[in-house]
Amino acid sequence: MPFIRPALLALAVLLAAAAAAHPAGPSAAERAIDYRHSVYHVINWNVHKLGDAVDGKVPYDKEAFALQAARVAMLAPLLPEGFPEGSYVKGKTAAKPEIWTHRAEFDELMKKLAAKSAALADVAKSGELDKAKAAFGELTQVCKSCHDKFKAKDD
Ligand code: HEC
């Protein structure tokens, strides 16, 4: 079949060119890293605003504070699925490999984060700044304890 071989060769060349033009996208691990970074960015935006109000850097606006607290409470439970098994990629993540060898401890801190952010959102509805300050302090303490243990410093 003299005509088929050149045709197959041409097809192979075309397919190779198409593959080169569309390199395989990010790996599953890279997508997980991207996902968790995105969720952290949105949480961080809101936590900073809450912190500014708590520190008196901006006037306390009860409505805005309650909204930001509610956002954090909504987002915190989205974090754990951003840390699937095998999503440590050296150089692309500040997550320490210990997360996957101490998973129960990590998950416990995540649960605490969800609980403390829900508590803050609840208190924020009351509009009592003093109570909100205490609840905010408890929340950021959870961020810190997990970062101290499971997040690399140089990031
Ligand atoms: C249970 C553990 C845990 C808790 C709780 C936690 N973090 Fe993190 N955080 C991490 C880890 C691990 C990383 C590194 C993620 C990565 O680079 O893949 C991280 C990364 C981040 C980043 C950087 C994201 C980036 O793009 O590099 C920010 C900002 C952040 N966290 C904010 C917070 C704030 C604010 C809180 C509390 C409201 C919090 N985190 C609570 C574990 C935690």
Side-chain angles (χ1 to χ4, degrees):
M1 289 189 275
F3 298 111
I4 286 187
R5 279 207 193 142
L8 280 179
L9 185 66
L11 184 64
V13 167
L14 273 178
L15 285 175
H22 299 280
S27 66
E30 285 167 341
R31 276 189 282 120
I33 292 168
D34 194 38
Y35 168 78
R36 66 195 182 224
H37 284 172
S38 307
V39 178
Y40 277 123
H41 292 171
V42 186
I43 288 179
N44 210 34
W45 170 267
N46 289 284
V47 167
H48 267 268
K49 290 199 173 265
L50 291 165
D52 284 349
V54 163
D55 295 341
K57 287 186 188 156
V58 297
Y60 174 56
D61 172 343
K62 179 177 134 180
E63 309 267 301
F65 193 93
L67 177 66
Q68 288 143 9
R71 288 175 180 162
V72 177
M74 186 198 79
L75 290 164
L78 307 189
L79 282 170
E81 75 175 90
F83 290 90
E85 200 65 45
S87 65
Y88 175 77
V89 182
K90 203 171 164 38
K92 299 213 167 179
T93 175
K96 287 191 185 166
E98 283 79 2
I99 290 170
W100 295 277
T101 52
H102 295 71
R103 188 69 202 216
E105 195 184 336
F106 183 78
D107 285 344
E108 206 44 55
L109 282 163
M110 281 296 191
K111 270 196 202 144
K112 219 169 156 187
L113 184 76
K116 296 290 180 190
S117 57
L120 174 63
D122 245 18
V123 164
K125 281 188 219 155
S126 74
E128 291 174 65
L129 183 58
D130 279 345
K131 280 191 190 164
K133 272 186 187 175
F136 180 76
E138 285 183 31
L139 171 66
T140 51
Q141 192 50 50
V142 187
C143 315
K144 187 178 178 320
S145 26
C146 190
H147 288 181
D148 284 351
K149 171 120 205 203
F150 292 112
K151 181 173 175 282
K153 295 271 172 293
D154 52 326
D155 198 279

